[in-house]
């Protein structure tokens, strides 16, 4: 459940897009005509004037989307895994950026960040170098993997050497 612009947004299998409730009526917000969302939105997070989420787009797979609360203002942020699905999860806001795990099809599921633009959506660091993944979502299924505290991002990752450990970042590769 996520509150955005005086509406309650939530995942609903009855809607391909964003489901919402405004206190009087239920609704379904879908994308504009240029790109079609064909799954319920999930992993909802507000940053600035937009609601960010994961959804399936025709020709794009499961990727990062954003909405200003209108169909015309709902769009794909970036096709992170061209030809596949990046499955962005655990969206967390810190210092004007959205942090999340995603798989670009090259590095495995790693830590990414976005300023809300395609050019500003980048891999933070390849923690498990190569095609391995630093994300081990199935090993600790009920743990929230990313949290921002006083300008520091804390997350769980596996570098392929030390196993599943607690990491921190200021949002830069260094």
């Amino acid at each position: 459940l996520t509150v955005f612009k005086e509406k309650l947004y939530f995942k609903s299998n009855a809607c391909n897009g964003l489901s919402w409730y405004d206190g009087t009526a239920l609704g379904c917000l879908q994308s504009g005509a240029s790109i079609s969302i064909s799954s319920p939105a999930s992993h909802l997070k507000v940053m600035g004037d937009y609601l960010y989420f994961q959804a399936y787009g025709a020709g794009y797979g499961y990727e990062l989307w954003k909405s200003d609360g209108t169909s015309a203002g709902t769009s794909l942020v970036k096709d992170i895994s061209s030809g596949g699905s990046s499955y962005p999860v655990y969206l967390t806001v810190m210092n004007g950026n959205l942090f999340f795990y995603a798989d670009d099809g090259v590095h495995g599921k790693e830590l990414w960040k976005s300023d809300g633009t395609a050019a500003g959506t980048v891999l933070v660091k390849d923690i498990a170098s190569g095609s391995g993944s630093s994300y081990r979502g199935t090993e600790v299924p009920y743990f929230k993997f990313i949290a921002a505290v006083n300008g520091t991002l804390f997350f769980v990752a596996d570098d392929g050497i030390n196993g599943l450990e607690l990491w921190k970042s200021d949002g830069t590769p260094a």
Side-chain angles (χ1 to χ4, degrees), residues 101-136:
Y101 285 109
D103 184 347
D104 64 1
V106 175
H107 300 96
K109 195 161 274 229
E110 295 286 353
L111 184 66
W112 283 71
K113 72 177 177 180
S114 178
D115 64 3
T117 67
T121 302
V122 297
L123 176 69
V124 175
K125 184 172 183 165
D126 185 5
I127 294 169
S129 296
S131 62
S133 175
S134 69
Y135 172 87
R136 299 288 183 253

Side-chain angles (χ1 to χ4, degrees), residues 9 24 27 47 49 55 84 135 139 150:
Y9 287 86
T24 61
M47 182 176 79
D49 294 330
Y135 172 87
E139 293 180 19
N150 296 326

Side-chain angles (χ1 to χ4, degrees), residues 4-152:
F4 177 65
K5 295 190 178 179
E6 300 183 25
K7 291 181 181 174
L8 179 66
Y9 287 86
F10 55 95
K11 179 181 178 179
S12 169
N13 290 335
C15 172
N16 284 338
L18 290 162
S19 296
W20 56 265
Y21 178 68
D22 68 2
T24 61
L26 290 168
C28 179
L29 178 66
Q30 295 179 314
S31 60
S34 63
I35 301 174
S36 174
I37 295 176
S38 55
S39 77
S42 62
H43 302 279
L44 310 173
K45 187 57 116 182
V46 175
M47 182 176 79
D49 294 330
Y50 290 93
L51 177 62
Y52 291 83
F53 56 96
Q54 177 200 108
Y56 186 91
Y60 294 98
Y62 286 92
E63 295 292 348
L64 183 64
W65 291 71
K66 70 179 179 181
S67 178
D68 66 1
T70 67
S71 289
T74 301
S75 62
L76 180 72
V77 174
K78 182 175 183 169
D79 185 7
I80 295 170
S81 180
S82 183
S85 291
S86 69
Y87 299 104
V89 294
Y90 299 109
L91 282 60
T92 303
V93 177
M94 184 182 83
N95 298 336
N97 284 292
L98 187 69
F99 290 85
F100 53 94
Y101 285 109
D103 184 347
D104 64 1
V106 175
H107 300 96
K109 195 161 274 229
E110 295 286 353
L111 184 66
W112 283 71
K113 72 177 177 180
S114 178
D115 64 3
T117 67
T121 302
V122 297
L123 176 69
V124 175
K125 184 172 183 165
D126 185 5
I127 294 169
S129 296
S131 62
S133 175
S134 69
Y135 172 87
R136 299 288 183 253
T138 58
E139 293 180 19
V140 189
Y142 300 108
F143 189 85
K144 183 172 179 175
F145 289 93
I146 303 176
V149 181
N150 296 326
T152 301

